[in-house]
PDB file of all heavy atoms in Angstrom:
ATOM      1  N   LYS N 785      47.569 -23.476-110.561  1.00 94.00           N
ATOM      2  CA  LYS N 785      48.494 -24.072-111.491  1.00 94.00           C
ATOM      3  C   LYS N 785      49.121 -25.323-110.872  1.00 94.00           C
ATOM      4  O   LYS N 785      49.624 -25.292-109.749  1.00 94.00           O
ATOM      5  CB  LYS N 785      49.559 -23.083-111.886  1.00 94.00           C
ATOM      6  CG  LYS N 785      50.624 -23.611-112.772  1.00 94.00           C
ATOM      7  CD  LYS N 785      51.659 -22.532-113.054  1.00 94.00           C
ATOM      8  CE  LYS N 785      52.818 -23.135-113.823  1.00 94.00           C
ATOM      9  NZ  LYS N 785      53.865 -22.123-114.023  1.00 94.00           N
ATOM     10  N   GLN N 786      49.068 -26.458-111.570  1.00 91.00           N
ATOM     11  CA  GLN N 786      49.619 -27.711-111.060  1.00 91.00           C
ATOM     12  C   GLN N 786      51.026 -27.951-111.514  1.00 91.00           C
ATOM     13  O   GLN N 786      51.880 -28.399-110.781  1.00 91.00           O
ATOM     14  CB  GLN N 786      48.726 -28.883-111.480  1.00 91.00           C
ATOM     15  CG  GLN N 786      47.335 -28.793-110.950  1.00 91.00           C
ATOM     16  CD  GLN N 786      47.256 -28.964-109.435  1.00 91.00           C
ATOM     17  OE1 GLN N 786      47.971 -29.756-108.847  1.00 91.00           O
ATOM     18  NE2 GLN N 786      46.420 -28.146-108.810  1.00 91.00           N
ATOM     19  N   SER N 787      51.286 -27.697-112.820  1.00 90.00           N
ATOM     20  CA  SER N 787      52.620 -27.867-113.409  1.00 90.00           C
ATOM     21  C   SER N 787      52.662 -27.009-114.679  1.00 90.00           C
ATOM     22  O   SER N 787      51.750 -26.258-114.978  1.00 90.00           O
ATOM     23  CB  SER N 787      52.867 -29.345-113.717  1.00 90.00           C
ATOM     24  OG  SER N 787      51.953 -29.770-114.711  1.00 90.00           O
ATOM     25  N   GLU N 788      53.761 -27.142-115.441  1.00 89.00           N
ATOM     26  CA  GLU N 788      53.879 -26.429-116.674  1.00 89.00           C
ATOM     27  C   GLU N 788      52.850 -26.869-117.712  1.00 89.00           C
ATOM     28  O   GLU N 788      52.391 -26.106-118.520  1.00 89.00           O
ATOM     29  CB  GLU N 788      55.304 -26.595-117.261  1.00 89.00           C
ATOM     30  CG  GLU N 788      56.385 -25.944-116.381  1.00 89.00           C
ATOM     31  CD  GLU N 788      56.227 -24.436-116.287  1.00 89.00           C
ATOM     32  OE1 GLU N 788      55.784 -23.818-117.285  1.00 89.00           O
ATOM     33  OE2 GLU N 788      56.526 -23.903-115.208  1.00 89.00           O
ATOM     34  N   GLN N 789      52.502 -28.192-117.659  1.00 91.00           N
ATOM     35  CA  GLN N 789      51.513 -28.719-118.607  1.00 91.00           C
ATOM     36  C   GLN N 789      50.063 -28.365-118.231  1.00 91.00           C
ATOM     37  O   GLN N 789      49.184 -28.316-119.049  1.00 91.00           O
ATOM     38  CB  GLN N 789      51.646 -30.216-118.742  1.00 91.00           C
ATOM     39  CG  GLN N 789      52.885 -30.692-119.454  1.00 91.00           C
ATOM     40  CD  GLN N 789      54.104 -30.702-118.562  1.00 91.00           C
ATOM     41  OE1 GLN N 789      54.005 -30.764-117.343  1.00 91.00           O
ATOM     42  NE2 GLN N 789      55.279 -30.566-119.169  1.00 91.00           N
ATOM     43  N   ARG N 790      49.831 -28.141-116.946  1.00 90.00           N
ATOM     44  CA  ARG N 790      48.478 -27.832-116.455  1.00 90.00           C
ATOM     45  C   ARG N 790      48.447 -26.437-115.832  1.00 90.00           C
ATOM     46  O   ARG N 790      48.706 -26.272-114.638  1.00 90.00           O
ATOM     47  CB  ARG N 790      48.046 -28.876-115.392  1.00 90.00           C
ATOM     48  CG  ARG N 790      47.867 -30.269-116.032  1.00 90.00           C
ATOM     49  CD  ARG N 790      47.242 -31.231-115.047  1.00 90.00           C
ATOM     50  NE  ARG N 790      45.927 -30.758-114.660  1.00 90.00           N
ATOM     51  CZ  ARG N 790      45.222 -31.283-113.660  1.00 90.00           C
ATOM     52  NH1 ARG N 790      45.698 -32.302-113.001  1.00 90.00           N
ATOM     53  NH2 ARG N 790      44.064 -30.800-113.351  1.00 90.00           N
ATOM     54  N   PRO N 791      48.165 -25.432-116.644  1.00 91.00           N
ATOM     55  CA  PRO N 791      48.126 -24.073-116.101  1.00 91.00           C
ATOM     56  C   PRO N 791      46.902 -23.836-115.263  1.00 91.00           C
ATOM     57  O   PRO N 791      45.924 -24.607-115.320  1.00 91.00           O
ATOM     58  CB  PRO N 791      48.123 -23.217-117.376  1.00 91.00           C
ATOM     59  CG  PRO N 791      47.471 -24.084-118.399  1.00 91.00           C
ATOM     60  CD  PRO N 791      47.885 -25.503-118.065  1.00 91.00           C
ATOM     61  N   GLY N 792      46.937 -22.755-114.520  1.00 93.00           N
ATOM     62  CA  GLY N 792      45.771 -22.377-113.731  1.00 93.00           C
ATOM     63  C   GLY N 792      44.658 -21.880-114.636  1.00 93.00           C
ATOM     64  O   GLY N 792      44.898 -21.387-115.743  1.00 93.00           O
ATOM     65  N   GLU N 793      43.407 -22.050-114.200  1.00 94.00           N
ATOM     66  CA  GLU N 793      42.284 -21.622-114.981  1.00 94.00           C
ATOM     67  C   GLU N 793      41.071 -21.376-114.111  1.00 94.00           C
ATOM     68  O   GLU N 793      41.081 -21.657-112.927  1.00 94.00           O
ATOM     69  CB  GLU N 793      41.966 -22.666-116.055  1.00 94.00           C
ATOM     70  CG  GLU N 793      41.601 -24.032-115.486  1.00 94.00           C
ATOM     71  CD  GLU N 793      41.340 -25.087-116.538  1.00 94.00           C
ATOM     72  OE1 GLU N 793      40.896 -24.710-117.645  1.00 94.00           O
ATOM     73  OE2 GLU N 793      41.579 -26.256-116.260  1.00 94.00           O
ATOM     74  N   ILE N 794      40.028 -20.854-114.725  1.00 96.00           N
ATOM     75  CA  ILE N 794      38.730 -20.654-114.048  1.00 96.00           C
ATOM     76  C   ILE N 794      37.764 -21.639-114.662  1.00 96.00           C
ATOM     77  O   ILE N 794      37.516 -21.607-115.865  1.00 96.00           O
ATOM     78  CB  ILE N 794      38.250 -19.207-114.219  1.00 96.00           C
ATOM     79  CG1 ILE N 794      39.259 -18.226-113.625  1.00 96.00           C
ATOM     80  CG2 ILE N 794      36.904 -19.032-113.527  1.00 96.00           C
ATOM     81  CD1 ILE N 794      38.953 -16.766-113.890  1.00 96.00           C
ATOM     82  N   VAL N 795      37.225 -22.510-113.833  1.00 95.00           N
ATOM     83  CA  VAL N 795      36.313 -23.564-114.292  1.00 95.00           C
ATOM     84  C   VAL N 795      34.891 -23.206-113.894  1.00 95.00           C
ATOM     85  O   VAL N 795      34.650 -22.759-112.773  1.00 95.00           O
ATOM     86  CB  VAL N 795      36.695 -24.935-113.675  1.00 95.00           C
ATOM     87  CG1 VAL N 795      35.783 -26.028-114.127  1.00 95.00           C
ATOM     88  CG2 VAL N 795      38.138 -25.273-113.978  1.00 95.00           C
ATOM     89  N   THR N 796      33.954 -23.393-114.799  1.00 95.00           N
ATOM     90  CA  THR N 796      32.522 -23.153-114.501  1.00 95.00           C
ATOM     91  C   THR N 796      31.864 -24.476-114.127  1.00 95.00           C
ATOM     92  O   THR N 796      31.935 -25.444-114.861  1.00 95.00           O
ATOM     93  CB  THR N 796      31.818 -22.529-115.710  1.00 95.00           C
ATOM     94  OG1 THR N 796      32.491 -21.365-116.113  1.00 95.00           O
ATOM     95  CG2 THR N 796      30.373 -22.213-115.387  1.00 95.00           C
ATOM     96  N   LEU N 797      31.225 -24.513-112.961  1.00 94.00           N
ATOM     97  CA  LEU N 797      30.604 -25.721-112.436  1.00 94.00           C
ATOM     98  C   LEU N 797      29.100 -25.495-112.219  1.00 94.00           C
ATOM     99  O   LEU N 797      28.686 -24.382-111.872  1.00 94.00           O
ATOM    100  CB  LEU N 797      31.209 -26.149-111.118  1.00 94.00           C
ATOM    101  CG  LEU N 797      32.701 -26.403-111.070  1.00 94.00           C
ATOM    102  CD1 LEU N 797      33.130 -26.560-109.620  1.00 94.00           C
ATOM    103  CD2 LEU N 797      33.029 -27.636-111.848  1.00 94.00           C
ATOM    104  N   SER N 798      28.302 -26.516-112.487  1.00 93.00           N
ATOM    105  CA  SER N 798      26.878 -26.463-112.127  1.00 93.00           C
ATOM    106  C   SER N 798      26.705 -27.123-110.781  1.00 93.00           C
ATOM    107  O   SER N 798      27.157 -28.240-110.558  1.00 93.00           O
ATOM    108  CB  SER N 798      26.051 -27.216-113.181  1.00 93.00           C
ATOM    109  OG  SER N 798      26.042 -26.515-114.390  1.00 93.00           O
ATOM    110  N   ARG N 799      26.004 -26.421-109.878  1.00 95.00           N
ATOM    111  CA  ARG N 799      25.727 -26.998-108.568  1.00 95.00           C
ATOM    112  C   ARG N 799      24.278 -27.457-108.511  1.00 95.00           C
ATOM    113  O   ARG N 799      23.425 -26.936-109.201  1.00 95.00           O
ATOM    114  CB  ARG N 799      25.961 -25.933-107.491  1.00 95.00           C
ATOM    115  CG  ARG N 799      27.412 -25.613-107.270  1.00 95.00           C
ATOM    116  CD  ARG N 799      27.574 -24.765-106.044  1.00 95.00           C
ATOM    117  NE  ARG N 799      28.975 -24.423-105.845  1.00 95.00           N
ATOM    118  CZ  ARG N 799      29.371 -23.478-105.031  1.00 95.00           C
ATOM    119  NH1 ARG N 799      28.494 -22.750-104.356  1.00 95.00           N
ATOM    120  NH2 ARG N 799      30.636 -23.234-104.852  1.00 95.00           N
ATOM    121  N   PRO N 800      23.991 -28.439-107.652  1.00 96.00           N
ATOM    122  CA  PRO N 800      22.611 -28.929-107.553  1.00 96.00           C
ATOM    123  C   PRO N 800      21.658 -27.882-106.931  1.00 96.00           C
ATOM    124  O   PRO N 800      22.058 -27.020-106.150  1.00 96.00           O
ATOM    125  CB  PRO N 800      22.727 -30.129-106.597  1.00 96.00           C
ATOM    126  CG  PRO N 800      24.150 -30.492-106.597  1.00 96.00           C
ATOM    127  CD  PRO N 800      24.935 -29.252-106.856  1.00 96.00           C
TER     128      PRO N 800
END
Side-chain angles (χ1 to χ4, degrees):
K785 176 181 173 184
Q786 298 294 320
S787 64
E788 293 297 325
Q789 289 80 24
R790 294 188 59 190
E793 61 183 330
I794 300 172
V795 180
T796 304
L797 301 171
S798 290
R799 289 189 181 166

